[in-house]
Amino acid sequence: GRGIDYLAEVIDYGVDFNFIKKGGAGWFTLEDGSKLQGMDKMKDYLEENSELLLELENKVLNKLKNKEEELITETTQEINEL
């Protein structure tokens, strides 16, 4: 089916925030040193390693929360300057 692929989103944010390194030919390297080729292998690995997935989710969510707070602060400052 179609829709939001939660694991792919977590992985993409993990790459964006440098919790996961992404190299050529679709290779992913995790902080635990695991190297996997392809998004499907990454998703399978995270599904099989729930503690690692939970840790990655928490890091991503904390980073997103901090970004949201930064945007709110910036917007508030801009409004106050008007």
Side-chain angles (χ1 to χ4, degrees):
R2 293 188 174 209
I4 296 171
D5 184 337
Y6 180 75
L7 279 175
E9 286 290 312
V10 171
I11 293 166
D12 287 341
Y13 277 118
V15 170
D16 290 344
F17 297 140
N18 295 312
F19 302 132
I20 299 172
K21 304 292 182 222
K22 187 173 180 186
W27 282 96
F28 294 92
T29 304
L30 298 167
E31 291 178 334
D32 71 354
S34 301
K35 293 184 178 188
L36 302 136
Q37 188 174 23
M39 181 65 80
D40 289 337
K41 296 265 193 225
M42 269 295 300
K43 291 192 291 187
D44 291 344
Y45 186 78
L46 291 175
E47 285 178 335
E48 293 168 4
N49 295 279
S50 58
E51 287 182 27
L52 183 62
L53 174 57
L54 183 60
E55 180 182 331
L56 181 59
E57 287 172 324
N58 286 332
K59 286 180 177 181
V60 166
L61 290 172
N62 284 332
K63 191 77 167 176
L64 289 171
K65 181 181 174 191
N66 290 339
K67 287 224 174 259
E68 180 182 35
E69 289 171 357
E70 288 173 16
L71 287 172
I72 290 170
T73 300
E74 288 173 12
T75 303
T76 302
Q77 287 174 348
E78 290 174 5
I79 291 171
N80 289 335
E81 291 174 3
L82 295 177

